Amino acid sequence: MSDPKHYLPVLQKSLWFNSLPPAAAQRLLSDATFLPLRGGQQLFLRGDSFDGIYCVLEGGIRLTGIALDGQENLFSVISPPTWFGEIAFFDGLPRTHDAQAVGSTLLLHVSPTRLTGLVNDDPQWAFRLAVLMAQKTRLLFFALEASSRLDRQAKLARAIVMTLTQGWASVPDPANSSVPLNQGSLAEMLAMTRQTVAAGLKALQDQGILRLEYRRVRVTDWARLCDAAKIDGEYPPNSLHADNDRLQT
């Protein structure tokens, strides 16, 4: 497909994208291009210069880093319709993680030149992008809270919820909720053994909450998964994605 509008059903599941004024959303798509990646292909490396922002339309992206002992640390697996890469736009510093395609992946890409053009033409775009970055900060705090107070089973369920919704930045689809995660990925993300993760996933599957597929986890009972993850009543946060243009200059 050569027209990003073909992917509107996917893009509109992003609460950030869906909160954009129609004219702003149309301008963003008109400035975007498709970028296909094969499985395992590197998108960028930690330390690379800023090369724009991206949205996952199909497939997924692994965000990883290298520990002092040389081991790879999996930070996150991001799936449709997640926008990412905006941090370096604000601070001008290099990329913070390695990014690699999980299977055949299709991205929407907005180059630095076109992104700068958006902001120059409409300074409100700086605020809109700041809202996108704030979502990632909220996700980080939510993950830190989970790591300090949840038991292993709840942490596992929470990791699946957070990956599916990218920290409630996208709308979950109860009828088609799957994510490109396997036992190894979850073990890396949660610093657990594969045996512990395998036992936890089997317990959730035996309860009818999810189904394990090849290199994927499919949720079959969204409400019970949230209960297992001990999601508090304020999530998803209804007020998080208010009108991006409420602050007018």
Side-chain angles (χ1 to χ4, degrees), residues 63 75-79 82-84 86-87 131-147 158-170 189 231 235 237 240-241:
L63 296 179
F75 175 72
S76 179
V77 176
I78 53 180
S79 54
T82 306
W83 292 84
F84 66 100
E86 73 284 348
I87 293 176
V131 170
L132 179 61
M133 187 168 61
Q135 291 178 357
K136 310 294 174 58
T137 304
R138 184 178 291 268
L139 172 59
L140 177 60
F141 285 139
F142 199 49
L144 288 173
E145 178 190 32
S147 67
R158 179 76 64 94
I160 296 170
V161 170
M162 290 294 100
T163 302
L164 276 167
T165 66
Q166 298 301 307
W168 299 114
S170 63
M189 289 171 61
I231 301 294
Y235 285 90
L240 176 59
H241 304 278

Side-chain angles (χ1 to χ4, degrees), residues 46 62 64-74 98 188:
R46 178 184 237 165
R62 284 170 52 94
T64 62
I66 303 297
L68 293 176
D69 60 3
Q71 295 295 312
E72 181 184 78
N73 289 331
L74 178 63
D98 298 344
E188 290 180 69

Side-chain angles (χ1 to χ4, degrees), residues 13-70:
K13 292 180 182 179
S14 163
L15 297 181
W16 176 77
F17 180 86
N18 215 29
S19 72
L20 295 175
Q26 183 175 0
R27 171 66 192 277
L28 179 63
L29 294 185
S30 69
D31 282 347
T33 57
F34 288 118
L35 178 63
L37 299 174
R38 64 184 181 277
Q41 184 175 348
Q42 208 76 41
L43 175 62
F44 53 73
L45 296 172
R46 178 184 237 165
D48 283 353
S49 299
F50 176 65
D51 61 347
I53 64 172
Y54 300 89
C55 178
V56 183
L57 298 176
E58 298 175 359
I61 294 288
R62 284 170 52 94
L63 296 179
T64 62
I66 303 297
L68 293 176
D69 60 3

Side-chain angles (χ1 to χ4, degrees), residues 32-215:
T33 57
F34 288 118
L35 178 63
L37 299 174
R38 64 184 181 277
Q41 184 175 348
Q42 208 76 41
L43 175 62
F44 53 73
L45 296 172
R46 178 184 237 165
D48 283 353
S49 299
F50 176 65
D51 61 347
I53 64 172
Y54 300 89
C55 178
V56 183
L57 298 176
E58 298 175 359
I61 294 288
R62 284 170 52 94
L63 296 179
T64 62
I66 303 297
L68 293 176
D69 60 3
Q71 295 295 312
E72 181 184 78
N73 289 331
L74 178 63
F75 175 72
S76 179
V77 176
I78 53 180
S79 54
T82 306
W83 292 84
F84 66 100
E86 73 284 348
I87 293 176
F89 172 76
F90 285 97
D91 60 18
L93 296 177
R95 292 296 191 188
T96 58
H97 294 84
D98 298 344
Q100 184 183 66
V102 180
S104 180
T105 296
L106 182 64
L107 303 176
L108 204 58
H109 177 224
V110 184
S111 70
T113 299
R114 294 190 173 187
L115 204 58
T116 300
L118 282 174
V119 175
N120 288 341
D121 293 344
D122 180 4
Q124 193 65 26
W125 266 106
F127 176 74
R128 294 169 187 146
L129 291 168
V131 170
L132 179 61
M133 187 168 61
Q135 291 178 357
K136 310 294 174 58
T137 304
R138 184 178 291 268
L139 172 59
L140 177 60
F141 285 139
F142 199 49
L144 288 173
E145 178 190 32
S147 67
S148 65
R149 69 180 181 87
L150 297 181
D151 58 34
R152 288 180 177 178
Q153 187 73 359
K155 286 179 183 179
L156 179 59
R158 179 76 64 94
I160 296 170
V161 170
M162 290 294 100
T163 302
L164 276 167
T165 66
Q166 298 301 307
W168 299 114
S170 63
V171 179
D173 181 0
N176 187 30
S177 291
S178 69
V179 64
L181 281 175
N182 55 26
Q183 294 177 9
S185 296
L186 285 165
E188 290 180 69
M189 289 171 61
L190 296 171
M192 296 179 183
T193 65
R194 290 190 178 217
Q195 292 82 359
T196 299
V197 169
L201 290 173
K202 184 178 185 305
L204 291 171
Q205 180 170 254
D206 290 345
Q207 295 171 51
I209 294 175
L210 55 79
R211 184 171 68 250
L212 302 180
E213 301 177 350
Y214 178 68
R215 299 186 68 85

